[in-house]
């Protein structure tokens, strides 16, 4: 099976990346020391940042040749710094779906995705009462509900205890396998994430 994403001669600011290959419909885990450009790489992959040199190819096509809005529907980024609207969790599902002009999910669907993301909160929960980790997982639940081709995850387990982190990662792996999704996961927790990787990418 051909890779879904590849990078070539990629650099941003002082960061130079090795040429990287991301496995299609697999879990691609990125490890590396602080400051090596892991989070920056995710933002380069969905064109929220533009490289200084080199290119990224999706299905062998330079992503600069694709419409950026459509690209970000295909390649969704669930980062550490998330944006949520005022109101409840359900309001956020509705508003993100309205932005994409798609029919909003039923509350039962919202609950299912919240459970998948180890965030079993009622949809009517006000977002102003959420912790930072809960906000990150609510945003992840919204992203996952769109079933993108590629989901970019930046430290999704950083605010979780070990048992909850394993539960979340197992859920993501199973969901991605059922729906043919590709996951790209940045993590500092090598012991937790390396065993899950179909493709392990090391940055220096």
């Amino acid at each position: 099976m051909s890779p879904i994403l590849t990078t070539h001669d990629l650099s941003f600011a002082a960061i130079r990346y090795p040429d990287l290959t991301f496995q299609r419909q697999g879990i691609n885990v990125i490890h590396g020391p602080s400051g090596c450009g892991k989070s920056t790489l995710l933002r380069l992959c969905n064109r929220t940042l533009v490289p200084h040199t080199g290119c990224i190819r999706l299905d062998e096509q330079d992503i600069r040749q694709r419409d950026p809005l459509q690209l970000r529907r295909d390649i969704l980024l669930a980062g550490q710094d998330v944006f949520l609207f005022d109101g409840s969790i359900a309001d956020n599902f509705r508003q993100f779906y309205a932005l994409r002009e798609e029919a909003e999910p039923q509350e039962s669907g919202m609950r299912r995705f919240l459970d998948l993301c180890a965030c079993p909160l009622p949809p009517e929960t006000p977002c102003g009462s959420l912790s930072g980790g809960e906000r990150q997982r609510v945003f992840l639940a919204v992203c996952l509900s769109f079933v993108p081709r590629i989901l970019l995850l930046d430290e999704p387990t950083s605010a979780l205890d070990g048992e909850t982190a394993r539960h979340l990662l197992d859920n993501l792996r199973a969901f991605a396998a059922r729906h043919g999704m590709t996951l790209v996961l940045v993590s500092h927790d090598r012991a937790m994430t390396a065993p899950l990787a179909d493709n392990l990418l090391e940055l220096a």
Side-chain angles (χ1 to χ4, degrees), residues 7 11 26 51 53 57 60 102 104-105 109 111 116 128 179-180 184:
T7 74
S11 72
T53 65
R57 295 192 178 113
E60 301 184 356
E102 296 182 22
E104 67 189 51
R111 290 178 184 275
L116 277 171
H179 295 277
V184 179

Side-chain angles (χ1 to χ4, degrees), residues 62-135:
D62 191 326
I63 63 172
R64 290 171 294 190
Q65 297 174 5
R66 295 184 176 237
D67 176 77
L69 293 179
Q70 183 56 53
L71 179 75
R72 290 174 198 140
R73 289 179 179 231
D74 289 338
I75 307 178
L76 262 180
L77 172 59
Q80 297 185 70
D81 298 321
V82 302
F83 171 80
L84 293 178
F85 296 98
D86 294 333
S88 68
I89 293 173
D91 292 333
N92 272 268
F93 272 94
R94 296 184 186 110
Q95 292 194 66
F96 280 113
Y97 271 77
L99 286 172
R100 293 172 62 126
E101 299 181 339
E102 296 182 22
E104 67 189 51
Q106 299 295 317
E107 287 206 6
S108 59
M110 298 178 193
R111 290 178 184 275
R112 181 167 67 91
F113 283 104
L114 290 167
D115 288 345
L116 277 171
C117 293
C119 192
L121 297 170
E124 62 271 18
T125 303
C127 288
S129 68
L130 302 179
S131 69
E134 288 170 336
R135 290 175 65 85

